[in-house]
């Protein structure tokens, strides 16, 4: 078999595999297709957003699957975490996330906040309790509080709220792909199915 035929057979097998996957996932059943796409922030890269809330036990349970899956994403995909203030009470954690991000501290404390709330059952539900918890972990409390109340953090938190509204988001955890598709745990049926469907939609976007 010459090289051209080998490549043709390989392409056909890839297409067949993709089509078999496509029959497994049904728009409106396993994921939602937006009537109006939401503008993305990633240029030529395929954007994947994760909407979450630190107080959500399902988001906490999703983290191990998500963390493992993120390591498999191709270079053409850019993954973005986005805290979702769907409820006014959630705005505290949204601002805490962006405050830590602005201080270059988010990767040190993201998992710790989840663990504190869902394993150690700590009630870190307001600005002061979050600041006290992070101070115990070495975060400068004065710097955290001044950043937390800043105009820049307030704007980022409000932007996250607006983006959630653009997606007509009703719950977390949720994944979005390239501003066009939303995957919820309820629709997908499991955390692993959420990332499997995201993989399928990433391939769908890559093929366009």
């Amino acid at each position: 078999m010459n090289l051209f035929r080998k490549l043709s057979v390989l392409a056909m097998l890839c297409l067949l595999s993709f089509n078999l996957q496509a029959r497994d996932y049904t728009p409106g059943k396993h994921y939602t297709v937006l009537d109006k796409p939401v503008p993305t922030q990633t240029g030529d890269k395929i954007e994947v957003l994760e909407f979450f809330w630190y107080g959500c036990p399902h988001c906490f349970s999703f983290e191990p699957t998500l963390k493992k899956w993120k390591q498999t994403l191709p270079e053409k995909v850019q993954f973005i975490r986005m805290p979702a203030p769907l409820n006014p009470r959630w705005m505290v954690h949204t601002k805490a996330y962006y405050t830590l991000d602005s201080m270059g501290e988010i990767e040190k404390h993201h998992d710790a906040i989840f663990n504190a709330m869902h394993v150690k059952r700590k009630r870190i539900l307001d600005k002061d309790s979050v600041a006290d918890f992070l101070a115990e972990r070495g975060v400068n409390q004065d710097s955290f509080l001044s950043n937390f109340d800043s105009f820049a953090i307030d704007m980022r938190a409000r932007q996250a709220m607006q983006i959630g509204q653009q997606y007509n988001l009703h719950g977390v955890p949720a994944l979005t792909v390239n501003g066009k598709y939303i995957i919820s745990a309820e629709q997908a049926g499991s955390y692993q199915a959420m990332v499997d469907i995201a993989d399928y939609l990433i391939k769908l976007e890559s093929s366009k």
Side-chain angles (χ1 to χ4, degrees):
M1 184 182 295
N2 62 35
L3 179 61
F4 178 77
R5 287 194 62 192
K6 285 182 179 179
L7 291 174
S8 298
V9 170
L10 181 60
M12 288 172 58
L13 288 173
C14 289
L15 182 61
L16 176 61
S17 174
F18 183 79
N19 286 336
L20 287 172
Q21 272 194 309
R23 285 199 291 269
D24 290 337
Y25 303 125
T26 305
K29 179 180 180 182
H30 298 105
Y31 61 92
T32 298
V33 182
L34 292 179
D35 293 330
K36 182 180 179 181
V38 176
T40 59
Q41 310 168 45
T42 55
D44 294 335
K45 290 196 172 187
I46 294 172
E47 179 187 273
V48 173
L49 289 181
E50 176 216 0
F51 285 104
F52 74 96
W53 172 47
Y54 281 124
C56 167
H58 304 294
C59 298
F60 172 68
S61 297
F62 184 39
E63 276 293 299
T65 300
L66 187 68
K67 189 176 294 186
K68 183 178 179 180
W69 175 69
K70 280 162 50 180
Q71 296 174 356
T72 70
L73 291 174
E75 289 186 6
K76 63 189 172 187
V77 174
Q78 185 168 337
F79 179 89
I80 301 172
R81 287 196 205 106
M82 184 162 288
L86 300 183
N87 181 305
R89 293 184 301 112
W90 298 12
M91 186 59 81
V92 168
H93 290 150
T94 298
K95 293 180 71 173
Y97 177 89
Y98 285 125
T99 300
L100 286 171
D101 185 52
S102 71
M103 297 171 67
E105 298 267 14
I106 189 60
E107 296 307 325
K108 295 179 185 177
H109 307 290
H110 179 71
D111 290 345
I113 296 172
F114 266 131
N115 287 329
M117 296 194 70
H118 300 286
V119 178
K120 299 178 181 178
R121 302 297 181 185
K122 287 182 177 287
R123 292 184 60 80
I124 45 178
L125 300 174
D126 56 45
K127 178 178 68 173
D128 291 333
S129 59
V130 173
D132 288 343
F133 168 74
L134 292 171
E136 292 172 3
R137 292 181 52 82
V139 175
N140 184 294
Q141 191 164 17
D142 290 338
S143 180
F144 176 84
L145 289 172
S146 64
N147 276 283
F148 186 98
D149 290 324
S150 69
F151 176 77
I153 296 304
D154 187 63
M155 287 298 294
R156 291 186 73 181
R158 290 180 182 277
Q159 183 183 40
M161 181 172 63
Q162 290 169 358
I163 291 173
Q165 291 170 346
Q166 287 178 297
Y167 277 106
N168 196 26
L169 191 69
H170 295 295
V172 289
L175 296 175
T176 72
V177 178
N178 229 23
K180 300 177 182 178
Y181 315 99
I182 310 174
I183 309 158
S184 68
E186 183 179 6
Q187 278 185 302
S190 71
Y191 300 133
Q192 184 59 48
M194 286 182 71
V195 297
D196 289 343
I197 294 168
D199 277 334
Y200 160 68
L201 293 172
I202 288 167
K203 289 177 182 176
L204 184 66
E205 286 298 292
S206 298
S207 67
K208 293 181 179 178

mmCIF file of all heavy atoms in Angstrom, residues 26-35 167-168 175-177 179-184 187 197 201:
data_model
loop_
_atom_site.group_PDB
_atom_site.id
_atom_site.type_symbol
_atom_site.label_atom_id
_atom_site.label_comp_id
_atom_site.label_asym_id
_atom_site.label_seq_id
_atom_site.Cartn_x
_atom_site.Cartn_y
_atom_site.Cartn_z
ATOM 1 N N THR A 26 -26.379 14.032 21.235
ATOM 2 C CA THR A 26 -27.479 14.684 20.531
ATOM 3 C C THR A 26 -27.663 16.108 21.042
ATOM 4 O O THR A 26 -27.844 16.316 22.248
ATOM 5 C CB THR A 26 -28.792 13.903 20.752
ATOM 6 O OG1 THR A 26 -28.593 12.540 20.365
ATOM 7 C CG2 THR A 26 -29.921 14.521 19.948
ATOM 8 N N PRO A 27 -27.619 17.104 20.134
ATOM 9 C CA PRO A 27 -27.890 18.486 20.559
ATOM 10 C C PRO A 27 -29.268 18.586 21.202
ATOM 11 O O PRO A 27 -30.238 17.995 20.725
ATOM 12 C CB PRO A 27 -27.834 19.276 19.250
ATOM 13 C CG PRO A 27 -27.054 18.422 18.309
ATOM 14 C CD PRO A 27 -27.342 17.001 18.690
ATOM 15 N N GLY A 28 -29.348 19.328 22.283
ATOM 16 C CA GLY A 28 -30.614 19.466 22.982
ATOM 17 C C GLY A 28 -30.857 18.395 24.016
ATOM 18 O O GLY A 28 -31.701 18.550 24.902
ATOM 19 N N LYS A 29 -30.121 17.295 23.902
ATOM 20 C CA LYS A 29 -30.244 16.209 24.875
ATOM 21 C C LYS A 29 -28.996 16.118 25.741
ATOM 22 O O LYS A 29 -29.079 16.159 26.967
ATOM 23 C CB LYS A 29 -30.478 14.878 24.165
ATOM 24 C CG LYS A 29 -30.602 13.685 25.112
ATOM 25 C CD LYS A 29 -30.835 12.398 24.345
ATOM 26 C CE LYS A 29 -30.943 11.221 25.319
ATOM 27 N NZ LYS A 29 -31.125 9.928 24.595
ATOM 28 N N HIS A 30 -27.834 16.005 25.092
ATOM 29 C CA HIS A 30 -26.580 15.861 25.836
ATOM 30 C C HIS A 30 -25.850 17.191 26.027
ATOM 31 O O HIS A 30 -24.999 17.307 26.906
ATOM 32 C CB HIS A 30 -25.658 14.869 25.114
ATOM 33 C CG HIS A 30 -26.223 13.493 25.024
ATOM 34 N ND1 HIS A 30 -26.737 12.968 23.865
ATOM 35 C CD2 HIS A 30 -26.379 12.541 25.969
ATOM 36 C CE1 HIS A 30 -27.174 11.741 24.080
ATOM 37 N NE2 HIS A 30 -26.982 11.457 25.352
ATOM 38 N N TYR A 31 -26.178 18.164 25.204
ATOM 39 C CA TYR A 31 -25.596 19.499 25.322
ATOM 40 C C TYR A 31 -26.540 20.492 24.660
ATOM 41 O O TYR A 31 -27.447 20.108 23.905
ATOM 42 C CB TYR A 31 -24.195 19.570 24.692
ATOM 43 C CG TYR A 31 -24.137 19.271 23.210
ATOM 44 C CD1 TYR A 31 -24.235 20.295 22.270
ATOM 45 C CD2 TYR A 31 -23.993 17.969 22.744
ATOM 46 C CE1 TYR A 31 -24.183 20.032 20.913
ATOM 47 C CE2 TYR A 31 -23.940 17.694 21.391
ATOM 48 C CZ TYR A 31 -24.034 18.712 20.478
ATOM 49 O OH TYR A 31 -23.985 18.442 19.128
ATOM 50 N N THR A 32 -26.337 21.772 24.951
ATOM 51 C CA THR A 32 -27.189 22.830 24.412
ATOM 52 C C THR A 32 -26.421 23.636 23.378
ATOM 53 O O THR A 32 -25.266 23.998 23.600
ATOM 54 C CB THR A 32 -27.664 23.768 25.539
ATOM 55 O OG1 THR A 32 -28.450 23.006 26.462
ATOM 56 C CG2 THR A 32 -28.487 24.924 24.991
ATOM 57 N N VAL A 33 -27.071 23.906 22.257
ATOM 58 C CA VAL A 33 -26.505 24.775 21.221
ATOM 59 C C VAL A 33 -27.151 26.151 21.377
ATOM 60 O O VAL A 33 -28.375 26.280 21.370
ATOM 61 C CB VAL A 33 -26.777 24.224 19.806
ATOM 62 C CG1 VAL A 33 -26.140 25.136 18.759
ATOM 63 C CG2 VAL A 33 -26.259 22.807 19.659
ATOM 64 N N LEU A 34 -26.328 27.173 21.535
ATOM 65 C CA LEU A 34 -26.859 28.521 21.722
ATOM 66 C C LEU A 34 -27.468 29.060 20.433
ATOM 67 O O LEU A 34 -26.906 28.867 19.350
ATOM 68 C CB LEU A 34 -25.752 29.467 22.175
ATOM 69 C CG LEU A 34 -25.179 29.252 23.575
ATOM 70 C CD1 LEU A 34 -24.089 30.272 23.839
ATOM 71 C CD2 LEU A 34 -26.251 29.343 24.639
ATOM 72 N N ASP A 35 -28.590 29.740 20.551
ATOM 73 C CA ASP A 35 -29.185 30.406 19.390
ATOM 74 C C ASP A 35 -28.273 31.523 18.893
ATOM 75 O O ASP A 35 -28.144 31.747 17.686
ATOM 76 C CB ASP A 35 -30.558 30.983 19.749
ATOM 77 C CG ASP A 35 -31.578 29.891 20.051
ATOM 78 O OD1 ASP A 35 -31.444 28.791 19.478
ATOM 79 O OD2 ASP A 35 -32.482 30.136 20.861
ATOM 80 N N TYR A 167 -24.815 33.269 28.413
ATOM 81 C CA TYR A 167 -24.956 31.820 28.180
ATOM 82 C C TYR A 167 -26.280 31.283 28.720
ATOM 83 O O TYR A 167 -26.552 30.095 28.594
ATOM 84 C CB TYR A 167 -23.809 31.068 28.839
ATOM 85 C CG TYR A 167 -22.537 31.032 28.014
ATOM 86 C CD1 TYR A 167 -21.438 31.807 28.358
ATOM 87 C CD2 TYR A 167 -22.441 30.209 26.892
ATOM 88 C CE1 TYR A 167 -20.270 31.776 27.605
ATOM 89 C CE2 TYR A 167 -21.280 30.170 26.138
ATOM 90 C CZ TYR A 167 -20.209 30.954 26.495
ATOM 91 O OH TYR A 167 -19.059 30.911 25.735
ATOM 92 N N ASN A 168 -27.077 32.147 29.342
ATOM 93 C CA ASN A 168 -28.328 31.724 29.979
ATOM 94 C C ASN A 168 -28.057 30.586 30.960
ATOM 95 O O ASN A 168 -28.781 29.593 31.018
ATOM 96 C CB ASN A 168 -29.353 31.284 28.916
ATOM 97 C CG ASN A 168 -30.760 31.215 29.470
ATOM 98 O OD1 ASN A 168 -31.104 31.901 30.434
ATOM 99 N ND2 ASN A 168 -31.580 30.374 28.879
ATOM 100 N N LEU A 175 -19.618 23.468 31.371
ATOM 101 C CA LEU A 175 -18.553 23.758 30.413
ATOM 102 C C LEU A 175 -19.169 24.388 29.185
ATOM 103 O O LEU A 175 -20.289 24.034 28.785
ATOM 104 C CB LEU A 175 -17.822 22.469 29.999
ATOM 105 C CG LEU A 175 -17.047 21.702 31.062
ATOM 106 C CD1 LEU A 175 -16.502 20.394 30.475
ATOM 107 C CD2 LEU A 175 -15.900 22.541 31.621
ATOM 108 N N THR A 176 -18.456 25.320 28.572
ATOM 109 C CA THR A 176 -18.868 25.854 27.279
ATOM 110 C C THR A 176 -17.724 25.666 26.292
ATOM 111 O O THR A 176 -16.556 25.638 26.689
ATOM 112 C CB THR A 176 -19.227 27.347 27.355
ATOM 113 O OG1 THR A 176 -18.031 28.116 27.531
ATOM 114 C CG2 THR A 176 -20.181 27.622 28.509
ATOM 115 N N VAL A 177 -18.072 25.505 25.043
ATOM 116 C CA VAL A 177 -17.070 25.300 23.986
ATOM 117 C C VAL A 177 -17.265 26.343 22.900
ATOM 118 O O VAL A 177 -18.319 26.415 22.266
ATOM 119 C CB VAL A 177 -17.154 23.875 23.385
ATOM 120 C CG1 VAL A 177 -16.140 23.712 22.254
ATOM 121 C CG2 VAL A 177 -16.909 22.827 24.467
ATOM 122 N N GLY A 179 -17.963 29.381 22.687
ATOM 123 C CA GLY A 179 -19.059 30.334 22.698
ATOM 124 C C GLY A 179 -20.342 29.831 22.065
ATOM 125 O O GLY A 179 -21.306 30.588 21.940
ATOM 126 N N LYS A 180 -20.375 28.532 21.701
ATOM 127 C CA LYS A 180 -21.521 28.007 20.949
ATOM 128 C C LYS A 180 -22.308 26.932 21.685
ATOM 129 O O LYS A 180 -23.487 26.715 21.384
ATOM 130 C CB LYS A 180 -21.044 27.421 19.614
ATOM 131 C CG LYS A 180 -20.346 28.414 18.708
ATOM 132 C CD LYS A 180 -19.840 27.727 17.448
ATOM 133 C CE LYS A 180 -19.084 28.696 16.550
ATOM 134 N NZ LYS A 180 -18.564 28.013 15.343
ATOM 135 N N TYR A 181 -21.658 26.246 22.619
ATOM 136 C CA TYR A 181 -22.259 25.063 23.227
ATOM 137 C C TYR A 181 -22.108 25.120 24.751
ATOM 138 O O TYR A 181 -21.094 25.569 25.255
ATOM 139 C CB TYR A 181 -21.590 23.785 22.731
ATOM 140 C CG TYR A 181 -21.360 23.732 21.240
ATOM 141 C CD1 TYR A 181 -20.116 24.034 20.695
ATOM 142 C CD2 TYR A 181 -22.390 23.378 20.364
ATOM 143 C CE1 TYR A 181 -19.892 23.984 19.329
ATOM 144 C CE2 TYR A 181 -22.177 23.330 18.995
ATOM 145 C CZ TYR A 181 -20.929 23.641 18.477
ATOM 146 O OH TYR A 181 -20.714 23.598 17.123
ATOM 147 N N ILE A 182 -23.117 24.611 25.459
ATOM 148 C CA ILE A 182 -23.071 24.491 26.911
ATOM 149 C C ILE A 182 -23.289 23.032 27.283
ATOM 150 O O ILE A 182 -24.189 22.373 26.750
ATOM 151 C CB ILE A 182 -24.154 25.334 27.600
ATOM 152 C CG1 ILE A 182 -24.156 26.775 27.086
ATOM 153 C CG2 ILE A 182 -23.958 25.324 29.114
ATOM 154 C CD1 ILE A 182 -25.309 27.586 27.630
ATOM 155 N N ILE A 183 -22.466 22.554 28.211
ATOM 156 C CA ILE A 183 -22.577 21.175 28.701
ATOM 157 C C ILE A 183 -22.785 21.237 30.205
ATOM 158 O O ILE A 183 -21.936 21.758 30.937
ATOM 159 C CB ILE A 183 -21.297 20.366 28.413
ATOM 160 C CG1 ILE A 183 -20.897 20.478 26.947
ATOM 161 C CG2 ILE A 183 -21.482 18.902 28.813
ATOM 162 C CD1 ILE A 183 -19.431 20.178 26.692
ATOM 163 N N SER A 184 -23.902 20.714 30.671
ATOM 164 C CA SER A 184 -24.161 20.653 32.105
ATOM 165 C C SER A 184 -24.039 19.207 32.575
ATOM 166 O O SER A 184 -24.182 18.266 31.787
ATOM 167 C CB SER A 184 -25.571 21.169 32.421
ATOM 168 O OG SER A 184 -26.552 20.277 31.914
ATOM 169 N N GLN A 187 -27.385 17.364 31.916
ATOM 170 C CA GLN A 187 -27.582 16.896 30.548
ATOM 171 C C GLN A 187 -26.642 15.741 30.214
ATOM 172 O O GLN A 187 -27.058 14.748 29.619
ATOM 173 C CB GLN A 187 -27.338 18.034 29.565
ATOM 174 C CG GLN A 187 -28.504 18.976 29.367
ATOM 175 C CD GLN A 187 -28.214 19.992 28.281
ATOM 176 O OE1 GLN A 187 -27.248 20.748 28.365
ATOM 177 N NE2 GLN A 187 -29.044 20.031 27.267
ATOM 178 N N ILE A 197 -18.018 14.847 26.036
ATOM 179 C CA ILE A 197 -18.808 15.661 25.108
ATOM 180 C C ILE A 197 -18.021 16.903 24.710
ATOM 181 O O ILE A 197 -18.044 17.323 23.544
ATOM 182 C CB ILE A 197 -20.166 16.037 25.734
ATOM 183 C CG1 ILE A 197 -21.017 14.784 25.932
ATOM 184 C CG2 ILE A 197 -20.911 17.052 24.864
ATOM 185 C CD1 ILE A 197 -22.246 14.990 26.803
ATOM 186 N N LEU A 201 -17.079 18.153 20.956
ATOM 187 C CA LEU A 201 -17.384 19.487 20.424
ATOM 188 C C LEU A 201 -16.114 20.221 20.002
ATOM 189 O O LEU A 201 -16.132 20.992 19.034
ATOM 190 C CB LEU A 201 -18.156 20.290 21.466
ATOM 191 C CG LEU A 201 -19.565 19.762 21.769
ATOM 192 C CD1 LEU A 201 -20.174 20.499 22.953
ATOM 193 C CD2 LEU A 201 -20.475 19.878 20.544
#
